[in-house]
Amino acid sequence: MRIPAPIESSAEPTDRRFLAGPARSALAALAEVAVDTSIIPAREVAGNVDRYMGPFRAQRKWVVNVALIGLWLYPLRFLKPPLPKLKLEARRLFVEKRFVDDVAFRRVRFLRRLVQAMFRLSMQMTYLGFYGDPRTYATVGYVPFRDRARYAEATLDVPDTLPSVESMSHDSLDGDTLSADAVVVGSGAAGAIVAYRLAEAGRRVLLVERGRHLDPSEFTDNEIEQISNLYADGALQLSRDFSFQVLQGMCVGGSTVVNNAVCFDIPPEALTRWNGSELDAGLEGPRLAQAFLDARGLVGVRRPPSRHLQAGAQKFVDGVSALGLQGEVDVVEANIADCPGSGYCNIGCPFGAKLSMLDKVLPDGQRLFGVDSLRVLPECRAERIETDGSRATGVVARLSNGRKLRIRADTVVVSAGAIASSWLLMESRIARGRAGHGLRFNMASPITADFDDELDSYDGVQISHYFEPPHERGFVMETWFNPVVSQALNMPGWLDDHRTNMSRFRHLTAAGVLVGTNEPGRLASALTGGVDILYTPDKGDVRTLIEALKLLGRIYLAAGARRVMPSTFQFHEFTSEGQLDQLDDYVEHSSYLSIGTGHPQGGNAISRDPKRGVVDESFRVHGFENLFVCDASVFPTAITVNPQLTVMALAEYAAPGIAEVSA
């Protein structure tokens, strides 16, 4: 049995790897008022962030320096010295007044969201540098999986050797041109399955992935290292106004490596709407139903996902039962097997329990059909699709070392996800005016609940239960908890409130609300290069979210919680059901509530009508013979439930038609 490498404490590095001088001093100054520097000195908190961010593989990590330099400068606006020059108590009062209170009470009118984003990111860097250090674990009661009493028993069934993917090294490439029967851009839930089925049909497939290839044997307990390796830019992907985070994996296997593997069939109401006269997707019901069955079999969907379900989830189930709510509450289905319950789902499972594209579909495909039939090229960013009239002739890509590569293929399949697929079509000037429009999300926000019991919710599979009310309610709920760093980044409250809440870490549990958005977003060119996400949540969607959060608070209070805490910018806690109605007053605008998504959808809608969609019912881009898009970007609407299984089923549905074209 392979044991993941442990996280090691480290003193402050002697060299500055990333942070500019003012950014580093501002971060240390903020740490002095935000965390317990008797455990880790402020300069070491800043040093940790410097060490973490240096190798962080994200093009937009420069925003961290910008935010911290802004923090250093901000007091000058009020004719005060830079933040590090303020005396400790004056600095604390300044942070409370000029960041927390001014934003919360709408005192900042000009560039309020920018100030809010600057402060939030700076605080998150502080928590990253503090709670990412193992010296803090004992102070909150967090125990890494390797040190838990049940570790040896729970990992008895983990094999010493796990299935692995063989990928192409850049050094092995001979020349600047590659050829294939089909090139698939993106190795996630759709791309890997399409590649698998094309290889099964006898096609020579080249699958290109912009992220790194890490074998599960290389995964560690280190949250920050894993996020850097498996998310990269996907961890710093924000809307243009900085108020909405779109979290995505970026590695071989895509988001299936870092998601919770939760599987729902597409809600019947969503499919009916897709196929209705307004959207006209043209999907055949019986064929799609079979595709769902095939996808379930291919990745091994089952229930329950683990024998080790975190104790906090039972509080959620008890609360739903106590309120007698109408709807379905159950353990989730997931493509997970023999899970030891480490709680590491979102940072990559080192035990091979999550049957992701990296763990199952791609290794199985190479084993069954041969490595030459299913080649995988990581760290290769597709920049443009080349076309000749109505045919796609290949892809122009760039390797991580800057080397340009031209890939010639008879068939091109774009499966890079809602954001990247849409942007690739836009950069290629394909489906102008339609690609990158109609972007939607499963908008999410959590409630954290504090119980008298020691729950140790970090111990066990991260998402284990769901509550799905009648469809017209417009939301679902899922239990949820994280290892210490990720939970600290999502913990409600600032300064003393945050510290108090982290001291209750063993007593906390959480669940999130998912709302499928109606208001569309779109993509545009960013001033700094690359893509910007233009999206502001619709008031109706926010209202649905708030009503669901109030209900979630009542669920936990009915289960005996001493208090429940939404992720509002200004910290609020509720100890009785009647107080929860005050949430309406506290959330005047969506920016006063922490909202994000791991489920972007849309951008290249499927429709038989070329005026309404980017792809037709066979997933072929309108106007092209051999160019296909197959991933969540083809969703005409958000589906509210976790979209992974729907993405995989659409890949199963589309693959036979793509194989015919590539023959």
Side-chain angles (χ1 to χ4, degrees):
M1 178 182 66
R2 191 192 67 78
I3 300 177
I7 308 170
E8 297 180 357
S9 299
S10 62
E12 180 185 14
T14 56
D15 61 318
R16 295 182 180 181
R17 302 185 181 188
F18 171 71
L19 294 177
R24 188 184 178 98
S25 62
L27 182 55
L30 185 60
E32 285 185 319
V33 301
V35 295
D36 187 349
T37 53
S38 68
I39 299 170
I40 303 177
R43 67 181 184 280
E44 291 188 28
V45 173
N48 282 342
V49 173
D50 211 0
R51 177 168 55 87
Y52 299 151
M53 294 303 297
F56 196 86
R57 300 169 59 87
Q59 291 180 327
R60 289 197 172 187
K61 67 180 183 179
W62 55 266
V63 300
V64 174
N65 258 319
V66 171
L68 290 169
I69 292 172
L71 189 77
W72 190 91
L73 291 168
Y74 197 63
L76 299 179
R77 178 187 171 192
F78 303 94
L79 304 179
K80 294 181 180 294
L83 192 74
K85 300 297 184 182
L86 291 172
K87 292 184 179 180
L88 187 61
E89 188 55 35
R91 193 187 316 150
R92 174 186 291 275
L93 291 174
F94 181 87
V95 170
E96 290 178 343
K97 181 177 180 180
R98 295 304 181 190
F99 287 115
V100 179
D101 291 346
D102 278 4
V103 171
F105 294 111
R106 293 81 163 167
R107 296 171 186 159
V108 181
R109 295 296 179 185
F110 181 64
L111 298 179
R112 175 182 61 79
R113 290 194 183 186
L114 191 61
V115 171
Q116 182 177 347
M118 175 180 69
F119 176 65
R120 185 188 298 276
L121 184 56
S122 298
M123 289 297 292
Q124 288 187 325
M125 288 299 108
T126 304
Y127 300 142
L128 193 75
F130 185 74
Y131 292 104
D133 193 309
R135 288 175 288 178
T136 65
Y137 293 173
T139 67
V140 297
Y142 175 68
V143 181
F145 186 52
R146 64 172 54 252
D147 296 327
R148 297 174 201 167
R150 65 179 187 83
Y151 177 85
E153 181 274 331
T155 55
L156 281 175
D157 295 330
V158 177
D160 292 330
T161 303
L162 300 174
S164 62
V165 176
E166 184 175 329
S167 62
M168 303 169 67
S169 72
H170 294 180
D171 292 339
S172 70
L173 299 178
D174 185 13
D176 296 327
T177 303
L178 291 173
S179 62
D181 295 333
V183 58
V184 179
V185 180
S187 62
I193 289 180
V194 169
Y196 178 99
R197 294 304 183 192
L198 293 181
E200 182 182 43
R203 312 296 181 261
R204 292 182 65 252
V205 182
L206 176 62
L207 192 156
V208 297
E209 165 60 51
R210 64 175 173 160
R212 298 182 68 189
H213 173 210
L214 267 78
D215 191 85
S217 65
E218 302 175 81
F219 292 174
T220 74
D221 293 354
N222 191 318
E223 288 181 75
I224 300 166
E225 179 181 301
Q226 290 296 103
I227 290 170
S228 175
N229 287 334
L230 302 178
Y231 288 85
D233 282 297
L236 293 174
Q237 196 166 238
L238 300 168
S239 59
R240 179 176 283 182
D241 65 2
F242 304 104
S243 66
F244 191 81
Q245 183 179 31
V246 181
L247 197 65
Q248 292 181 284
M250 199 179 97
C251 57
V252 171
S255 292
T256 68
V257 178
V258 294
N259 68 13
N260 295 95
V262 175
C263 289
F264 284 95
D265 289 332
I266 185 172
E269 298 85 356
L271 182 57
T272 298
R273 185 179 177 191
W274 286 10
N275 278 337
S277 59
E278 181 181 352
L279 301 174
D280 194 20
L283 295 169
E284 299 175 15
R287 261 188 67 202
L288 186 59
Q290 184 59 51
F292 270 94
L293 292 175
D294 293 342
R296 285 173 170 273
L298 185 65
V299 298
V301 177
R302 67 201 70 196
R303 192 197 324 256
S306 175
R307 292 186 294 112
H308 307 283
L309 307 179
Q310 51 117 326
Q314 188 58 48
K315 298 293 187 182
F316 174 81
V317 175
D318 292 345
V320 172
S321 176
L323 293 179
L325 297 177
Q326 182 182 2
E328 181 178 356
V329 60
D330 204 346
V331 177
V332 298
E333 289 186 290
N335 50 304
I336 293 176
D338 302 320
C339 171
S342 66
Y344 295 161
C345 291
N346 293 157
I347 59 171
C349 177
F351 307 106
K354 183 163 41 173
L355 305 179
S356 70
M357 302 300 109
L358 177 67
D359 295 293
K360 182 163 176 55
V361 172
L362 292 175
D364 284 357
Q366 290 187 333
R367 175 177 55 82
L368 293 170
F369 316 125
V371 173
D372 289 340
S373 292
L374 182 45
R375 292 174 293 168
V376 178
L377 180 59
E379 298 186 70
C380 179
R381 180 187 292 269
E383 294 186 334
R384 190 177 74 256
I385 300 166
E386 293 193 305
T387 61
D388 182 6
S390 62
R391 290 190 63 81
T393 58
V395 171
V396 175
R398 195 170 299 275
L399 303 178
S400 56
N401 60 10
R403 179 178 166 191
K404 191 174 181 179
L405 192 66
R406 178 167 274 109
I407 302 167
R408 300 294 189 189
D410 297 326
T411 302
V412 176
V413 183
V414 180
S415 298
I419 308 300
S421 288
S422 302
W423 183 240
L424 179 58
L425 264 61
M426 292 170 69
E427 287 285 272
S428 305
R429 299 183 179 276
I430 293 171
R432 293 192 197 183
R434 290 172 289 135
H437 290 254
L439 200 65
R440 290 177 172 83
F441 312 93
N442 285 347
M443 182 169 66
S445 191
I447 287 278
T448 303
D450 186 358
F451 286 84
D452 290 328
D453 319 47
E454 288 185 351
L455 301 173
D456 291 335
S457 295
Y458 62 83
D459 185 30
V461 68
Q462 281 186 291
I463 292 180
S464 62
H465 291 75
Y466 70 93
F467 170 62
E468 187 174 13
H471 175 76
E472 59 271 13
R473 299 292 300 275
F475 65 85
V476 296
M477 297 176 181
E478 293 173 354
T479 60
W480 169 79
F481 211 75
N482 294 288
V484 64
V485 176
S486 297
Q487 202 63 36
L489 296 179
N490 288 281
M491 186 66 71
W494 307 114
L495 305 177
D496 291 344
D497 289 325
H498 189 279
R499 191 185 306 182
T500 297
N501 291 339
M502 287 301 295
S503 74
R504 297 286 301 172
F505 188 73
R506 299 191 65 190
H507 298 264
L508 302 180
T509 191
V513 171
L514 298 177
V515 173
T517 62
N518 290 301
E519 183 70 19
R522 65 181 179 89
L523 302 182
S525 297
L527 295 176
T528 55
V531 60
D532 258 348
I533 300 168
L534 277 58
Y535 175 67
T536 300
D538 173 73
K539 289 184 179 180
D541 293 338
V542 175
R543 171 55 48 204
T544 299
L545 182 66
I546 292 171
E547 289 301 315
L549 287 171
K550 291 192 292 186
L551 177 59
L552 179 53
R554 293 185 177 101
I555 287 171
Y556 277 130
L557 290 171
R562 56 196 289 183
R563 60 190 181 124
V564 295
M565 300 166 281
S567 286
T568 47
F569 182 81
Q570 185 185 32
F571 178 65
H572 297 287
E573 57 184 7
F574 304 103
T575 58
S576 68
E577 290 193 27
Q579 294 174 346
L580 284 163
D581 286 330
Q582 298 172 24
L583 191 58
D584 296 309
D585 301 323
Y586 298 146
V587 184
E588 178 185 83
H589 187 276
S590 61
S591 63
Y592 294 105
L593 186 66
S594 179
I595 302 175
T597 187
H599 303 156
Q601 300 154 68
N604 300 312
I606 184 172
S607 177
R608 290 185 289 195
D609 184 348
K611 295 180 181 179
R612 301 179 186 178
V614 172
V615 301
D616 65 17
E617 68 274 22
S618 66
F619 296 78
R620 192 185 337 234
V621 176
H622 284 291
F624 287 87
E625 301 171 11
N626 64 334
L627 174 59
F628 297 84
V629 179
C630 184
D631 55 21
S633 74
V634 306
F635 286 22
T637 68
I639 64 171
T640 302
V641 299
N642 303 58
Q644 174 186 257
L645 184 60
T646 300
V647 171
M648 293 191 289
L650 291 178
E652 290 278 16
Y653 183 98
I658 298 173
E660 287 182 14
V661 171
S662 62

